[in-house]
Amino acid sequence: MNPRAQRVGGLGFALVLWCSARAFAITQPTTGVTIPIITPGGAVCADKNVQVCLNDAEGNATNINALTDAKVTPETYQPTCNLTFVPIVKGGSIVDAFGWYNVVPDPANAGKFLQPAVSQMFGMFAASGFQTGAQLSGQSFVLDLKTEAAAGRYTGGAIGFFLVSGTGAITIDPMTHQLHGDGGTLLVPQYQFFTQQAFNANNPGSTPGALYYNVLTWQSVRDPNTFYFGWEDLPIPQGSDSDFDDFVFAVTGVQCGGGGEPCDTGKLGPCKAGTMQCRKGVITCVQTVAPTTETCNAVDDDCNGQVDDGSLCPTDQICSHGVCVSNCSSGEFPCLPGLACNLRGECVEPACAGVDCGDGLACKGGNCVDACTGIICPHGLTCLNGGCVDPCQGIQCDSGFTCILGVCESCACSDCAAGQVCNKQSVCVDSGCETQTCAAGTYCAQGECHDNCEGAVCPLGQRCMSGDCIADPTQVSDAG
């Protein structure tokens, strides 16, 4: 495996399950009913048949199964800079308003979040009475989060979505997106529901602690960074029918909250490293590197838990620190002055001649330490098992996001650190680098191009050239 190989576009795995739709569908916790309830024979989106709504939204394609692909996650979303809201159908008879809010962690309770006040909920669309897809056709609303941030409404980070409903009037201020009720005052919602399910556990009339799902989500197959939201605008005691077409909306410009973060797949070697990515609306730990044939490169290529195992080098050579070098124990290839031959036939510092360390460890000064100790990889690489590898290999970021040191990032709608600006790839770079083009093996810092090898300290037996650590056996043995 070449540590500098380009990122592959996707992992190429698929699982086809031929089972009944009901076996994988979601059920209402309080009733046990499979949701969404679909009225048989419904031919149009307004016929209490959310499957037709999804087919229409996907361009008359059956990309999404309304039952098996329905999710109650993700609950939060990481936005790109521009969000587009598209109403699909208004199947409920009461007044509804749909919008977004900032996700705010609870400082007093780790892992918990603060429910937004009405003043912190920003409406995008309000409607009353039934409205079919044809009546809503052509309506869309674009939200520029840069503008929202400048106005103090978007605070950065993840967002959630809400639906408020009731019998009174609901209007939305076109400038502030505030929700207003009768008389133009701040709305007092009769009912309110959120994508963060914990906020919905105690709707009016429900049993305390009894959860009832009021929103289902589906991730678009046709359109990148797009999710569909199907809402129930009443809690169950007030007449909810669980068809989830009371208000159906599409939002483009969001990915799963938590996407792009590193994770542990539970596998061995480099296969252990993964990245959290969206898969049909579920945030999943996706393996970054696929197993390949073992080669001498300081990486456990076949992910069997052993680094550089097997016969990987020509006769009279051994694999040492990811490099095929002459076997010093034969006596034909003595070590250079200042190095000693150990039991494996490697040239090492004298204090390590009698020390044998396991995988992932290396002898330094006579002690077994992490194999990456003392190694400074070239710019853009990171040390793994004592070798320098590309941490973005195998990672596929969503549109609008770029892999930086193994994490999918975007600065399109967030501030960069002092002295940095956001470039066209939505990556924070030093000021002056946003228009700078550097050659292969170099990078831009403070407006100037620098060699990736500057300051690099490669593993023993390797040297940095063209921005990468490559084999250099002359550093460890004398071939005579």
Side-chain angles (χ1 to χ4, degrees), residues 302-360:
D302 56 8
C303 297
N304 69 348
Q306 300 180 52
V307 178
D308 292 345
D309 58 312
S311 300
L312 307 177
C313 298
T315 304
D316 295 329
Q317 289 190 335
I318 60 171
C319 183
S320 174
H321 306 287
V323 180
C324 288
V325 298
S326 299
N327 188 337
C328 60
S329 64
S330 67
E332 297 183 23
F333 308 100
C335 296
L336 292 173
L339 299 177
C341 191
N342 69 8
L343 298 177
R344 295 186 64 243
E346 301 171 298
C347 291
V348 298
E349 56 182 295
C352 293
V355 180
D356 188 13
C357 298
D359 289 337

Side-chain angles (χ1 to χ4, degrees), residues 64-131:
I64 300 172
N65 186 306
L67 286 172
T68 61
D69 293 332
K71 299 290 185 296
V72 291
T73 58
E75 299 187 18
T76 64
Y77 299 80
Q78 190 66 35
T80 56
C81 200
N82 290 305
L83 277 63
T84 302
F85 296 75
V86 179
I88 295 174
V89 71
K90 174 71 171 66
S93 60
I94 64 176
V95 182
D96 293 327
F98 176 70
W100 66 279
Y101 61 92
N102 293 289
V103 172
V104 180
D106 184 348
N109 296 285
K112 303 293 185 180
F113 299 89
L114 298 177
Q115 180 173 325
V118 175
S119 61
Q120 299 167 321
M121 298 158 59
F122 306 107
M124 297 304 299
F125 188 84
S128 61
F130 296 99
Q131 294 189 44

Side-chain angles (χ1 to χ4, degrees), residues 149-208:
R153 290 185 286 271
Y154 177 55
T155 57
I159 62 173
F161 297 97
F162 70 85
L163 184 83
V164 293
S165 60
T167 56
I170 301 177
T171 59
I172 299 172
D173 187 300
M175 297 298 294
T176 66
H177 304 293
Q178 289 285 293
L179 300 168
H180 292 164
D182 292 326
T185 58
L186 189 66
L187 178 69
V188 179
Q190 187 172 4
Y191 306 113
Q192 54 186 351
F193 310 103
F194 304 87
T195 52
Q196 288 182 273
Q197 302 289 347
F199 299 158
N200 303 332
N202 295 296
N203 288 311
S206 67
T207 302

Side-chain angles (χ1 to χ4, degrees), residues 20 26 28 42 44 83 95 147 185 432 480:
S20 67
I26 295 173
Q28 283 286 15
V44 296
L83 277 63
V95 182
T147 300
T185 58

Side-chain angles (χ1 to χ4, degrees), residues 166-326:
T167 56
I170 301 177
T171 59
I172 299 172
D173 187 300
M175 297 298 294
T176 66
H177 304 293
Q178 289 285 293
L179 300 168
H180 292 164
D182 292 326
T185 58
L186 189 66
L187 178 69
V188 179
Q190 187 172 4
Y191 306 113
Q192 54 186 351
F193 310 103
F194 304 87
T195 52
Q196 288 182 273
Q197 302 289 347
F199 299 158
N200 303 332
N202 295 296
N203 288 311
S206 67
T207 302
L211 179 63
Y212 182 79
Y213 294 134
N214 277 83
V215 59
L216 293 177
T217 62
W218 299 267
Q219 186 174 18
S220 174
V221 175
R222 185 188 68 171
D223 301 320
N225 292 348
T226 298
F227 284 81
Y228 301 105
F229 299 86
W231 296 86
E232 280 295 301
D233 57 14
L234 291 171
I236 188 170
Q238 278 67 36
S240 172
D241 55 11
S242 286
D243 58 10
F244 288 87
D245 75 342
D246 291 352
F247 215 161
V248 181
F249 244 91
V251 179
T252 297
V254 291
Q255 69 167 2
C256 291
E261 295 300 315
C263 58
D264 185 345
T265 66
K267 298 182 180 181
L268 299 175
C271 296
K272 178 184 180 70
T275 303
M276 300 301 291
Q277 298 185 28
C278 262
R279 291 292 182 267
K280 284 214 165 184
V282 178
I283 194 71
T284 303
C285 187
V286 176
Q287 184 175 315
T288 299
V289 178
T292 60
T293 302
E294 191 79 2
T295 60
C296 179
N297 60 358
V299 176
D300 177 16
D301 299 306
D302 56 8
C303 297
N304 69 348
Q306 300 180 52
V307 178
D308 292 345
D309 58 312
S311 300
L312 307 177
C313 298
T315 304
D316 295 329
Q317 289 190 335
I318 60 171
C319 183
S320 174
H321 306 287
V323 180
C324 288
V325 298
S326 299

